[in-house]
Amino acid sequence: MQSLQRRWRILDFTVAGMIGVLGGIIFFGYNWVNPVITTPLQLALPGSQALLSGVWLIPAVLGAAIIRKPGAAVLTEVIAATVSALLGAQWGLLTLESGLVQGLGAELVFALFGYRVFTAGVLALAGAVSGLAMALNELVIYYAETGPWYWLVYLLAGATTGALIAGVGSHLLVTALSRAGALNRFAAGRTRQPRE
Amino acid sequence: MNIRSIEVRRLTWWYHNRERAALRDVSFSIDQGERVLVTGASGSAKSTLLQLLVGALTAGDDGELRGECTVTAHPVALLSQEPHTQVTARTVGDEVAFGLQNLSVPRAEILERVPAALADVGILDLTDLPPEELSAGQQQRMLTAAVLAMRAKLLLLDEPTSLLDAASAEVVRRALVTHMSDPRRTTLIVDHDEATWRGAVTRVLELREGELVRDERIDTHFQWPTGAPGSARSPKRESAGEPGTRHSQTALNVGKIAEPNHDRAVVLTARDLEVGYDDAAVARLENFELRQGDIVAFTQESGAGKTAAALTLSGLNRPVSGHLTPPVHELDAASLTTVVALSFQHPELQFVHATVDAELDHRRDLALALGLESVRSAHPLTLSGGQKRRLSIAAALAQEPSVLVLDEPTFGQDDESAEAIRVLLAQSAARGTAVVVFSHDLTWCDRLGATRLNLQPVARTRHAKAAARRWFHPFAKLFSITAVTLSLVLTSSLLSVGVAAVGVVVLVLLSPTLRRGLGRYLGPLAALATLTGFTVALYSSATDEPFFQLLWAQLSADSLALGATAALRVFSIALLSIAVFRSLSLAEVGVALEQQARLPARATVSTMATLSSVTALQRLYRQRQNTLRARGISPQRGLRHLSASFIAVALLALRRAELLALALHARALDGAARRTQLFTVRWTWRDRALCGVAVAAAFSIVALHGVAR
């Protein structure tokens, strides 16, 4: 039995940073695309526009799924948010706050499983909780004046998108990356059992 | 009694996911003052050994270790291969200072050691340039300066002169000699060419497929052999053009191909061509004509613009000026590949498929000729450095273009592989392919029978050192926007939010720093604010009489007011934050996190080092576009294409993270306690004043809200 290594390697920091930076750059583009493509959803069912917000949660789940150490979800998501804010995200400082809240949501689930279980199901759950945290945060800050139905739809949409886009999406990404041998230095990319 | 530097006993190392051990039952010990050459063919785990010694590989996380591997010398510094992956800083000077900061060398001493080390390797004039603008050879010299300046007790050098032309190699060698001759220092040089280093080292270790097969002490007084080392493979006997820096105006003759054979068709011509990146020319090629079956080689010193020329002739970089016929840069991807194929300077940029076999277009003959037969089903990125380069050459050959361009084809190859490459290229030329080689390996080019040509240098202007004046501490800026944002989130009256919005706009208009470059955000911001406002107005919880109703949506006087409030709130928060964030510098925030927030250096520095790769990632994306174009894949849209290119960029990014981690280990970040800071970020009265003003503004907004109620 291999002992769990909780101490972060320098490699863990640089990989968290790199996923964050990559995420931040994608956020920066998606930040401006999202309001446009979600308008039809919003008209069909108010609150359901959150169904496409899962993209913003991918770094948290992906970072934790690769690094598998305490704090990975929060660090990766906060870096992604910071990068997109530095590039010029329309929510400015609130981008950082959202990043922190979303990262904490995912982190909570991984912590509950003791940073030992990283199956597709756990990733989906982490995505869902992260999505709930995101939805709650946005309702308070941007949509405080709306009514209870709006809140309910928004929360459900947040959890769904988190589970599907961030959770299942990250699982697929980890699989693709490890197939290319890019995760050989991470437990996530380990296909062979350790010797004895 | 000698002092031990390295103790390795019965060391076996497995990488995860690999059946075979990389190092097997290796035992040796090295004492202080020894100068050891580690040699062995490519794939013999020399680099793995260095990574273990520098602490970049840890048992458990990275692989499994049996036996003992103890390094008692401290500090340890490593010069690794592929210098472009080892850049951590924004200027050449900062790059050299980085290791010294980690070793807590006092600031005054750093300021003396940095220029001294750069002068030792002959690139003092490049101090203020960004490292990514240097050629591969100049980067290798910069990193040599970086490890020499650290005055490490144990210095690990992985092929230290592999990318250098003869003249620069001589300069670097002299600097290394001085360093190694100090009896308190231990040096380990990895190179697969033993003859090059005989006379300079006291001992030779030879690895073969992970096993130590030789441990021989050499009795010698410290002296460099005549016919001194120049390249990684073979001693260099000739100088590549005029030695000198890139700023020299030495005009080198632009040759025409000797004795042109007019029977063969012309496949590529260049007239008054200037090559470079974006709009900055780095070299000129005035009159160049390439016919079927020609073999030409550009063999200048590093920094002459060889890579820019290779990218331009391959139709990937646009010419800065001048003409190319056919106009390769204007061809679509599919037709480009039949005209010209490039073997990239960095072979990883070549690959678009998941297996070696697919990269080779299933050409078994190429795999056999270049020793890739055994790895045909492997993923290209998992190959060794030497194998990757051979695959990159084979992939370009497999495209069967009329012009084949190769950027440093022999780098990292042992004699046998270099010969195999030479034979393949000669055969290809005999069949009518025109071969253009960019290389500093003169002997190999001569054996290939290449006509030597030169690029003409273009003088470049030096970057002015960016000395931005800083008015406020980054934390003061962050605190201020936090206070104002919080007050806006807490208030909901049209009056308070409206006044705040006017205040923010006035502030931004008054400050030139905040105003700069903000224009392009205004349109999208206004649209976003309006959208949010409408959403809130339609679905608000207002209870007065609606004048419009449709399903869930309703509009009333109150709901319109709520919508307007929400829109103004979003607009002011966003405008203020974007403006302030754009005025922050990453370097400043990093220093502030380390100095004031007292976050551990290891975490802060390694994370911040990746943050500065935002531009590097943009470059990776551009390179990826180049790769696709060079391999004949036209740009496509759609989700599948998008996710494929995302994964391709993510792969390169992860690889970059891995190499960056190695760079940080190589410069002793892991043990860094209290790093020396080159500049300090101080909290002054101005910062206190800014915070005070922001708090006052926040309170006024809340007070206005109370009045409006």
Side-chain angles (χ1 to χ4, degrees):
Chain A
M1 173 72 198
Q2 208 175 352
S3 68
L4 259 182
Q5 302 197 346
R6 291 279 167 88
R7 184 182 147 84
W8 281 59
R9 291 171 293 175
I10 284 185
L11 176 67
D12 295 316
F13 285 115
T14 56
V15 165
M18 209 54 98
I19 296 172
V21 168
L22 198 59
I25 293 173
I26 290 170
F27 285 5
F28 176 64
Y30 188 67
N31 289 345
W32 302 99
V33 172
N34 175 281
V36 179
I37 59 174
T38 53
T39 306
L41 282 175
Q42 192 172 357
L43 293 177
L45 179 62
S48 71
Q49 72 267 29
L51 274 176
L52 291 179
S53 300
V55 172
W56 285 306
L57 311 171
I58 294 176
V61 183
L62 183 65
I66 290 175
I67 296 165
R68 300 191 172 182
K69 287 176 185 173
V74 172
L75 181 64
T76 318
E77 186 72 27
V78 167
I79 293 171
T82 308
V83 169
S84 87
L86 286 173
L87 290 173
Q90 58 267 48
W91 307 284
L93 185 74
L94 291 175
T95 323
L96 298 200
E97 185 266 349
S98 305
L100 185 65
V101 168
Q102 294 158 13
L104 281 171
E107 190 76 42
L108 181 73
V109 174
F110 295 118
L112 279 178
F113 285 90
Y115 299 98
R116 281 163 201 276
V117 193
F118 293 89
T119 55
V122 172
L123 297 197
L125 187 62
V129 174
S130 177
L132 274 181
M134 168 193 70
L136 199 61
N137 182 51
E138 286 171 9
L139 284 170
V140 171
I141 293 177
Y142 303 105
Y143 303 111
E145 290 90 353
T146 56
W149 279 108
Y150 193 91
W151 280 57
L152 183 68
V153 174
Y154 204 83
L155 285 172
L156 279 179
T160 312
T161 188
L164 290 179
I165 298 184
V168 177
S170 295
H171 177 73
L172 295 176
L173 278 172
V174 168
T175 315
L177 292 174
S178 90
R179 202 180 301 133
L183 304 181
N184 279 347
R185 290 179 68 184
F186 293 88
R190 217 145 296 166
T191 49
R192 300 176 63 90
Q193 287 302 305
R195 271 150 265 269
E196 334 146 51
Chain B
M1 182 70 196
N2 287 329
I3 305 169
R4 220 8 75 89
S5 286
I6 301 174
E7 179 79 60
V8 171
R9 215 177 293 149
R10 309 217 61 180
L11 170 68
T12 301
W13 172 265
W14 289 270
Y15 283 105
H16 289 302
N17 296 344
R18 299 277 169 87
E19 179 65 49
R20 287 192 47 217
L23 286 167
R24 249 173 306 164
D25 208 9
V26 172
S27 299
F28 63 87
S29 57
I30 293 175
D31 290 335
Q32 194 177 76
E34 283 196 87
R35 306 184 291 271
V36 183
L37 173 71
V38 181
T39 183
S42 98
S44 57
K46 302 187 294 288
S47 296
T48 302
L49 181 64
L50 290 188
Q51 290 187 40
L52 277 166
L53 292 176
V54 83
L57 291 176
T58 45
D61 271 328
D62 299 303
E64 287 164 69
L65 181 142
R66 231 175 263 162
E68 188 194 324
C69 177
T70 317
V71 176
T72 37
H74 177 82
V76 186
L78 163 71
L79 171 71
S80 40
Q81 288 187 33
E82 302 192 67
H84 73 285
T85 65
Q86 301 292 297
V87 171
T88 61
R90 277 145 189 266
T91 68
V92 170
D94 289 354
E95 189 67 56
V96 177
F98 177 65
L100 304 179
Q101 293 177 274
N102 294 338
L103 295 177
S104 310
V105 174
R107 185 170 179 276
E109 200 182 329
I110 293 182
L111 296 182
E112 281 168 25
R113 278 205 218 173
V114 169
L118 284 169
D120 280 348
V121 299
I123 54 166
L124 186 58
D125 57 334
L126 305 181
T127 308
D128 295 331
L129 284 179
E132 57 267 28
E133 284 191 14
L134 270 52
S135 75
Q138 288 167 333
Q139 286 177 340
Q140 193 169 38
R141 283 199 267 172
M142 166 186 77
L143 292 171
T144 307
V147 291
L148 285 179
M150 287 170 73
R151 298 180 188 165
K153 283 286 161 50
L154 173 60
L155 180 59
L156 309 168
L157 302 163
D158 199 349
E159 309 207 356
T161 57
S162 60
L163 295 166
L164 305 182
D165 59 273
S168 337
E170 182 58 42
V171 175
V172 169
R173 224 166 16 241
R174 231 174 290 139
L176 287 177
V177 170
T178 317
H179 183 93
M180 285 157 71
S181 54
D182 186 327
R184 289 164 303 175
R185 294 177 186 149
T186 312
T187 313
L188 217 107
I189 304 170
V190 160
D191 208 313
H192 45 237
D193 186 26
E194 192 180 330
T196 301
W197 297 97
R198 203 166 259 284
V201 294
T202 54
R203 189 174 162 193
V204 178
L205 299 179
E206 186 176 342
L207 287 169
R208 192 175 299 154
E209 297 186 349
E211 286 179 77
L212 187 64
V213 292
R214 184 158 66 111
D215 183 351
E216 183 189 348
R217 272 166 218 281
I218 302 171
D219 265 333
T220 176
H221 47 282
F222 195 59
Q223 196 178 47
W224 288 91
T226 46
S231 82
R233 284 195 320 99
S234 50
K236 193 145 288 172
R237 276 167 232 100
E238 295 159 86
S239 160
E242 294 276 312
T245 69
R246 76 151 86 189
H247 301 292
S248 72
Q249 272 285 10
T250 335
L252 297 168
N253 283 330
V254 175
K256 268 195 86 168
I257 300 161
E259 302 164 50
N261 181 343
H262 294 286
D263 298 339
R264 289 175 283 142
V266 175
V267 283
L268 191 70
T269 52
R271 298 270 173 264
D272 303 324
L273 183 71
E274 281 196 322
V275 299
Y277 302 95
D278 299 321
D279 286 330
V282 296
R284 215 189 338 259
L285 191 57
E286 274 169 8
N287 216 353
F288 174 72
E289 194 174 83
L290 198 61
R291 288 168 183 274
Q292 283 186 334
D294 278 337
I295 304 180
V296 300
F298 292 87
T299 52
Q300 272 146 305
E301 80 234 38
S302 55
K306 294 202 292 284
T307 294
L311 288 169
T312 310
L313 292 181
S314 316
L316 299 179
N317 272 16
R318 221 156 233 297
V320 177
S321 66
H323 301 282
L324 267 173
T325 328
V328 278
H329 54 286
E330 283 166 9
L331 300 178
D332 64 76
S335 13
L336 176 66
T337 53
T338 63
V339 178
V340 54
L342 168 70
S343 164
F344 284 81
Q345 184 187 25
H346 305 307
E348 298 187 352
L349 292 176
Q350 191 91 28
F351 309 137
V352 291
H353 297 294
T355 64
V356 169
D357 206 32
E359 291 290 348
L360 294 178
D361 203 11
H362 311 285
R363 289 272 300 272
R364 187 104 188 262
D365 55 326
L366 288 173
L368 277 169
L370 292 178
L372 298 168
E373 177 68 8
S374 60
V375 291
R376 275 173 61 207
S377 56
H379 195 285
L381 292 180
T382 62
L383 303 185
S384 82
Q387 287 170 330
K388 276 181 199 163
R389 188 163 299 270
R390 296 203 292 282
L391 177 59
S392 143
I393 295 167
L397 273 165
Q399 280 176 224
E400 304 191 332
S402 24
V403 181
L404 186 60
V405 181
L406 304 111
D407 197 353
E408 296 291 353
T410 59
F411 173 49
Q413 304 299 322
D414 51 37
D415 285 336
E416 205 179 317
S417 312
E419 179 60 17
I421 295 167
R422 189 193 69 77
V423 169
L424 266 183
L425 295 182
Q427 286 169 351
S428 185
R431 284 195 303 270
T433 310
V435 177
V436 184
V437 175
F438 292 84
S439 170
H440 63 275
D441 196 340
L442 289 180
T443 21
W444 183 86
C445 289
D446 287 346
R447 276 211 308 282
L448 180 63
T451 311
R452 278 207 232 138
L453 300 180
N454 278 327
L455 294 165
Q456 198 166 2
V458 172
R460 293 170 71 184
T461 47
R462 249 207 245 181
H463 285 239
K465 194 158 197 166
R469 207 148 44 122
R470 197 182 55 79
W471 282 97
F472 298 108
H473 191 286
F475 290 174
K477 293 180 184 172
L478 287 175
F479 176 84
S480 307
I481 55 175
T482 310
V484 174
T485 304
L486 207 62
S487 71
L488 279 165
V489 171
L490 289 175
T491 60
S492 58
S493 71
L494 194 52
L495 176 66
S496 60
V497 176
V499 168
V502 171
V504 168
V505 169
V506 168
L507 175 74
V508 169
L509 285 179
L510 284 181
S511 154
T513 326
L514 295 181
R515 204 169 55 208
R516 193 161 37 90
L518 210 59
R520 65 198 171 100
Y521 288 95
L522 287 180
L525 261 185
L528 191 86
T530 315
L531 198 68
T532 310
F534 259 113
T535 308
V536 168
L538 285 171
Y539 311 117
S540 75
S541 46
T543 49
D544 60 337
E545 187 62 34
F547 55 78
F548 167 82
Q549 203 160 13
L550 180 74
L551 296 174
W552 303 276
Q554 53 181 18
L555 287 177
S556 65
D558 282 2
S559 83
L560 278 181
L562 286 173
T565 311
L568 282 174
R569 180 197 290 145
V570 167
F571 185 79
S572 2
I573 291 177
L575 186 64
L576 181 65
S577 301
I578 292 184
V580 172
F581 265 93
R582 287 171 51 82
S583 75
L584 288 176
S585 109
L586 265 184
E588 252 176 45
V589 176
V591 171
L593 282 175
E594 241 184 290
Q595 283 179 352
Q596 267 95 25
R598 301 283 170 101
L599 291 184
R602 199 168 162 273
T604 321
V605 175
S606 47
T607 313
M608 295 306 287
T610 56
L611 286 201
S612 56
S613 48
V614 171
T615 46
L617 276 174
Q618 284 163 343
R619 202 166 46 237
L620 278 179
Y621 179 76
R622 234 186 352 207
Q623 285 170 342
R624 171 75 191 163
Q625 298 306 104
N626 264 350
T627 301
L628 292 176
R629 180 166 157 71
R631 301 300 298 278
I633 300 167
S634 310
Q636 282 161 359
R637 296 184 188 284
L639 210 58
R640 249 188 89 172
H641 170 70
L642 204 67
S643 76
S645 26
F646 173 76
I647 288 175
V649 171
L651 283 175
L652 290 172
L654 285 175
R655 177 81 184 128
R656 195 183 149 82
E658 209 174 303
L659 291 164
L660 190 58
L662 179 62
L664 299 173
H665 278 287
R667 248 78 61 71
L669 176 66
D670 210 12
R674 194 98 182 96
R675 294 179 75 241
T676 312
Q677 298 296 347
L678 290 182
F679 65 97
T680 46
V681 183
R682 276 198 201 84
W683 185 270
T684 66
W685 62 269
R686 276 199 300 265
D687 300 305
R688 282 195 290 274
L690 179 66
C691 292
V693 169
V695 169
F699 270 111
S700 321
I701 294 170
V702 176
L704 270 178
H705 174 62
V707 172
R709 277 279 154 104

